[in-house]
Structure formats: C-alpha cells, structure tokens
Amino acid sequence: PLLIFQTNSGFMRNNFVKILVLFLLFGTGVSAQDPAKTLPADLEIPLKYGAERLEKRQDASMRKFRDNRLGLFIHWGLYAITSGEWNGKLYDGPSSFLLKSANITPKEWMKLMDRWNPTNFDAFRWAQMAKRMGVKYLKITTKHHDGFCLWPSAYSKYTVAQTPGKRDIIGELVKAFDAEGIDVHLYYSILDWSHPDFRYSIKSKEDSIAFSRFLEFAENQIKELATRYPTVKDFWFDGTWDASFKENGWWSAHIEKMLKEMIPGITVNSRLRADDYGKRHFDSNGHLMGDYESGYERRLPDPVKDVGITRHDWEGYMTLPENQWGYHKDWTLSYVKTPFEAIQRIAHATSMGGNLVINFGPKPEGDFRQEELEMADIVGKWMKKNGECIYGCDYAGLAKQDWGYYTRSKDGTIYMIVFNIPYSGNLVVKMPKGTRIEKAILLEKGRKVDIVETSRDEYNVCMPVKDPGEPFVIKLQIEENVDVEDKYWDALT
Ligand code: 2OX
C-alpha cells in the first residue's frame, strides 16, 4: 500500500509517507530506551534537533567516560533531613518525593533550609571513600526536583548560601574529587517543584510565557555551573519527561551545544534530549541523542534480548533499596541489595558495553550510612583484585552463558566473570569460528586452568577451585584466524 502513496510527489506528501513509515516501523509503544531500529537513509525525516552523529564518540573524553565503567551517584539535599518522615508519619516512597507524596507546599518544604547544617561533611573523606570503593567518577545532585541548590546560585533563593550551613557543597566536592583524580559529573533536574514558572504542560499563552522564563532560568543555572566548575566532565539531566519540555526540543539541543562550547570534551546524557517532534533519548529516526543512553534506571538491559544496546554507549543506575535515592531512615521497607549483587550488576553492565553507577544517599549531617560504607568497602576490595576485567573493558561479542558474564579488554583478552558454579564443574564457552582458546588463567592467582575442547568451537573451562567464596575471574587468551582441523561432523537433519 505504501507504493501507491509514493507515486504522489510533493514535499508534504513525501513527509507524510515518511511519518507513516516511521509509525508502521516503530508503532507508538516503543520506549525511549529501546535500542533503536534505524531507517534506510532515504526514509529518514529531516530533523533540526535530532541526533548529532550516528556512531559512538571516539574522542579522548568519551573514551575516558567509557573506560571509567564504575561510578558513584550521590543524592543529597533537604530530603535527607526529613529522612522520609513528615509530621510523625513515615512515607515508604522515595524520600526525595516526600514534597509530593505528603502534599507539602514548596514554601513549607523550604523551611527545611533552616536545618541544613552538615557539620560532619568532609568532601575529602567522601573522595577517599570513593577511591577505596574503586569508582572512577562521581555524579552529584546540584539541584534535585525540589529546587534546592547545593551551590550558591545567583538565580535562586533556595540554595546552600541561605542556610546555616552556608558552604558550597558542589565546590568542595569538585575540589576534593579533582584532587583524588576522580571525575565529577553534575546532575541537574529540569523538573522543578518550587520555581513559580515551571509548567508540566503548556495550556495557555501565560503558560508559554512562564515556561520560556523557566527555560531561561535553567539555562542561566547550567551556564553558572559550567562557569564555576569548569573541570567537570559531564552534565546529567533528569526530569525531562513532561509535555512542556518535550515541546521544546530545540532548547535541549541548544543546551547540549552550549555546554560543548563551554567545556570542550564534556559529555551529556540522552535524557537531556528531545527532538523536533518531542521524541526523547532516540530521535524520530531512531538515532541516539546526547552522548550516551541513560534510560536503564533501577534495571539493566537483558543480556540476550537487549544486546542491541552494545551499539551505543550507555550508563545504568542502581539504588541499594528498591527505590530510595536520598537518605531514608527506614531501610526495612524494601529489599536492600548486597555488595555481591552490586558486583554482579557491575559485571553485567560492562559485559554489555555500559557503565554502572551505584547510588548513595548521605545523612543530613554529611555521613554515609553503615550499609553504604560496607558496600564501598566490599565493592572496593573486589575491584582492587579484579578491576582489570571491568575498567577499560567492553562487550566481548560472545553468547551469554549461565555461569556469568564475559568482558573483553583492549588487548583482546577475554574475561569470564563467574557468579554461578555449575554442578558439572565445567564452564561452557562457545567461541566464534576461526578462533581458539590458547590458554586460561585464574586472574587472581595467575594459575593455569584446564580447558577441554568438547565439540566444534565449544570448550569446557574446568572450575579451578571448589568454592572461591566470591565471584572470580578467568582470563582467556584467544588465538584468532586459526585454521582449525575439521575433525567434527555436522548432523544431517
Ligand atoms: C518516576 C515516576 C514518576 C515521576 C518521576 C519518576 N522518576 C524520578 N524517575 N526517576 C526519577 C529520578 N531519577 C533518579 C536518578 C532520581 O533522581 C529520581 O528522583
């Protein structure tokens, strides 16, 4: 039926066809996070605010972003003071949503500012903890949805400067983390519950004028952050899902361009971006906007079904409880992930060519909770031993096996990160045609591990130890372009 339309000429008709084709290909239910199906070039619709490029960025800053692999998210703000409780009632949703869930007015909420005085906050201690944990970057909330700013912004009256604490939290963190050689990424929420000009949708001329003023305010703050903290490596935007924002895709393209002019090499997340038609993350032609996909929040891509994500850079986000970002006093309300579960997610992300960011929500005084310190400690110890299978590593291109995850280093070494030990004691590896496993070595002890070729391009890697007591890593040295003697018979079926 499409061919009939295509015999008609004219630009409008042509675009109509393209949009129709887009609709037929993508439907309407495709989530922004789906690795994109792409169109043949001649079916693409012209976009002013779509993707900047079709391939991964390969410059030094992007390579550093990618090689970092493990990051620490910190959500800190007034919600830490409430710790999930309002007027004696405990709310089990995210403490950072208390303003909404407890129906608190911004004016009432901002009275918490009188109690912001984090006397135990020591940016250097935070940086040392991050170093011990093995994270290569920090993502810090400069302004969360409530609008409270952790830096003394000239454009808001809701900032640290108007609290008893006074200190510029962002400034101190940038200084301390820079000194430790840990990259700093700035989180900024567009969604703002306390700014009078914020709108969820544009229903009138007045809304339109107010939201334009709001975008100007946000731009001023973003510019202010980039000017005050020029050593930061990334801006991470959140709260961009509302209709008002989606109708202003031009602004998101403008902000990306502005930041890239202000701070050469800077990276921005796909969540910043909407295109001409309000399509987010991936543009109307299916191409990733921003520098990396940022939709895997509190979940990770399926290692088999979502393997298409390996075509893009991406970053996933993990909370310790089911859904708490800021400090909440009661962690019995949901399951809390253990350090080994976090380590499994780190391996999972790297094995699919992505980064993992683990979130902590410090207490109002500036201390981390016990569970977080323990997480930092155990993750750090594991990374210290096994980090070479994570940092600088990528998708290995091999079929997922039940024992765990593969990663591949730049020199071509394959890592097997083993989480599940089979009863047989044999770890199955299926190699591509024309390659051969030359040698298998236990990463930690450097000891040789037995390998048995079991059939065409298939091997058993024999379990080197009975119970290692923690996830362990086997390195495979691979020989490529080998002419394998054809000793196997294919089945006739
Ligand atoms: C989810 C459902 C309804 C409204 C908002 C959300 N939401 C908020 N999803 N994610 C967020 C923010 N992103 C995380 C990184 C946190 O900052 C969280 O507040």
Side-chain angles (χ1 to χ4, degrees), residues 15 314 363:
N15 260 359
W314 62 275
K363 297 177 192 175

Side-chain angles (χ1 to χ4, degrees), residues 275 288 317:
D275 78 357
L288 181 70
Y317 315 96

Side-chain angles (χ1 to χ4, degrees), residues 489-493:
W489 288 65
D490 288 322
L492 282 174
T493 57

Side-chain angles (χ1 to χ4, degrees), residues 30-72:
V30 176
S31 88
Q33 290 79 28
D34 280 348
K37 300 178 185 75
T38 50
L39 291 161
D42 61 342
L43 282 176
E44 295 206 346
I45 58 173
L47 294 170
K48 263 156 75 187
Y49 311 116
E52 298 281 321
R53 83 194 81 74
L54 304 180
E55 308 291 329
K56 289 181 185 178
R57 253 175 73 175
Q58 294 295 1
D59 56 284
S61 305
M62 194 71 219
R63 291 200 309 270
K64 175 67 165 65
F65 174 98
R66 184 182 303 137
D67 289 350
N68 282 343
R69 284 301 180 229
L70 178 61
L72 174 66

